[in-house]
Amino acid sequence: MIPGETYEKFLSRLLSGDRAACVSITDALLKQGADVREIYVDLFQKSLYRVGELWENNRISVSVEHMATSIIESLFTLVYPVIFSAEHTGKKAVVSCVANEFHQVGGKMVADIFELNGWDGYFLGANVPREEMLRFIDEKKPDVLGLSLSIYSQMKTLIDVMESVRSVFPRLDMIIGGQAFRWGGRELVARISGTTYIESLEVLEKMIKGNTR
């Protein structure tokens, strides 16, 4: 687990826009042998959740929120040498955000957790048109499709995309997650067959390990 004082220092530097300090903290943790999962959950994810709360309560501006997100996205490159060194199993996951969903960090972390466990994790990014997603799924033929949603107002778009995927790929397993589900919606995705709501990266990894055996 990342020490509390390290998290607090990282968060402070993140909110001030000190990219160099955030790089230094992350790099030091990696050199000390910190687990990638802990860096993702206890540092990156925890910080972004806090940044989101501060923005929701009007304690920081949207500019600061975007800046913090950008800094954390840039830090993924420090972790990638560890992530992509895993022996691959031949299993594939496509991870994407739906159209009009522009928060992509959570989805990127999900794809990386798949990679860390030896899967090929294809991350399509934010704001992906439905037809493009379906075309990519048809090309790669993944074992799992992951969809990330941060904004609750886009729930209908997510459900529409899921229904389209299910109609074209009736046997494709889907996992769904994201901050949007703090406000509800789990019962809506549960109505679509072959769908699992994933509440955290820890739960995701347990699911992956179970499907890899």
Side-chain angles (χ1 to χ4, degrees), residues 143-161:
D143 299 277
V144 173
L145 170 67
L147 295 173
S148 175
L149 190 70
S150 296
I151 305 300
Y152 183 76
S153 61
Q154 294 299 320
M155 186 65 67
K156 183 180 185 304
T157 301
L158 174 66
I159 298 301
D160 288 346
V161 168

Side-chain angles (χ1 to χ4, degrees), residues 18-198:
D18 192 341
R19 186 186 301 267
C22 292
V23 168
S24 178
I25 292 169
T26 304
D27 189 52
L29 287 169
L30 288 167
K31 288 177 178 176
Q32 292 164 13
D35 190 275
V36 169
R37 300 160 185 82
E38 294 180 347
I39 292 175
Y40 271 30
V41 174
D42 297 333
L43 197 66
F44 295 172
Q45 187 181 74
K46 187 177 179 180
S47 295
L48 282 176
Y49 283 178
R50 181 56 180 157
V51 167
E53 290 171 0
L54 292 171
W55 175 73
E56 288 173 356
N57 291 297
N58 296 314
R59 294 178 60 185
I60 61 172
S61 68
V62 68
S63 296
V64 172
E65 187 266 342
H66 286 176
M67 175 190 66
T69 300
S70 176
I71 289 174
I72 286 186
E73 284 192 273
S74 73
L75 297 176
F76 287 136
T77 58
L78 298 175
V79 184
Y80 283 160
V82 177
I83 289 175
F84 292 110
S85 66
E87 183 178 350
H88 278 218
T89 64
K91 286 184 171 289
K92 295 179 287 187
V94 170
V95 181
S96 183
C97 302
V98 297
N100 299 316
E101 169 61 76
F102 295 93
H103 295 78
Q104 66 176 18
V105 176
K108 187 175 292 188
M109 288 185 181
V110 167
D112 287 352
I113 292 296
F114 274 106
E115 286 282 353
L116 191 62
N117 285 274
W119 291 46
D120 292 318
Y122 299 99
F123 179 57
L124 305 189
N127 191 30
V128 179
R130 181 184 325 193
E131 292 306 317
E132 292 298 322
M133 185 189 302
L134 293 173
R135 187 175 296 113
F136 192 86
I137 293 169
D138 186 53
E139 175 187 338
K140 295 300 181 182
K141 295 178 173 50
D143 299 277
V144 173
L145 170 67
L147 295 173
S148 175
L149 190 70
S150 296
I151 305 300
Y152 183 76
S153 61
Q154 294 299 320
M155 186 65 67
K156 183 180 185 304
T157 301
L158 174 66
I159 298 301
D160 288 346
V161 168
M162 292 174 64
E163 290 176 343
S164 294
V165 169
R166 181 54 66 236
S167 67
V168 180
F169 306 101
R171 297 184 179 179
L172 177 60
D173 289 334
M174 287 189 282
I175 60 171
I176 313 297
Q179 284 291 85
F181 291 94
R182 291 184 301 164
W183 313 109
R186 298 185 192 184
E187 72 287 352
L188 298 176
V189 301
R191 295 173 186 170
I192 300 174
S193 63
T195 299
T196 303
Y197 168 72
I198 301 294

